[in-house]
Amino acid sequence: MGDVFNSWDTYLLSSVETYTFNYDKSDGSFLRFYLGDKNHKGMKIIYSPNGSVYFNGHTTASNGYQVYKEGPAGPAGVYTIKVSSDNGATRFDYQYGIAAREIHR
C-alpha cells in the first residue's frame, strides 16, 4: 500500500468542501480514493488534476453510501478534491481518503 496523502473524518462546513494534494509519479502509478457518507444524504466527490476531472463518484443507497475508485494515476501536479451534498446542505458527516500505490503483478 502506498502513502496516504489525506484521510479525514469530518463534516461539511459549506456547500462545497475543497482540498488539494500534490501528486508526483514517484508516489506510485495508481491513485485511489474513498468517500463515506455517514448520514446517508447523497454526496458527490470529484478529483481534478490541473483543472480537468479525473475521478468522480456519488454516494447512494445502492452503493451503501460509499464510493471507492482506483485507477492509473494522471499527470503529476496539484489535484483538487471537491465534496458536496446533493441538496447543498451542510453539517453532514463524511470520511474521505486518498492514496497512491504501485501495482505489482
Side-chain angles (χ1 to χ4, degrees):
M1 186 89 53
D3 295 326
V4 173
F5 293 115
N6 285 299
S7 182
W8 294 99
D9 192 357
T10 188
Y11 57 91
L12 286 173
L13 291 174
S14 60
S15 60
V16 178
E17 295 286 316
T18 303
Y19 308 94
T20 60
F21 70 93
N22 291 313
Y23 167 72
D24 186 88
K25 293 289 185 183
S26 65
D27 294 328
S29 59
F30 275 69
L31 290 178
R32 68 181 187 166
F33 75 84
Y34 168 79
L35 172 65
D37 175 0
K38 291 180 158 191
N39 299 117
H40 300 176
K41 298 296 183 182
M43 301 179 98
K44 297 179 183 116
I45 188 167
I46 298 172
Y47 280 71
S48 301
N50 307 318
S52 61
V53 173
Y54 184 64
F55 279 136
N56 63 63
H58 183 235
T59 66
T60 64
S62 65
N63 63 16
Y65 293 97
Q66 297 181 35
V67 171
Y68 172 82
K69 291 196 176 183
E70 178 177 78
V78 176
Y79 279 62
T80 301
I81 303 104
K82 293 182 181 179
V83 177
S84 63
S85 65
D86 285 357
N87 64 6
T90 60
R91 300 289 180 189
F92 296 140
D93 296 318
Y94 69 97
Q95 295 173 307
Y96 82 94
I98 307 156
R101 65 189 188 110
E102 285 297 329
I103 300 287
H104 299 284
R105 298 178 194 235

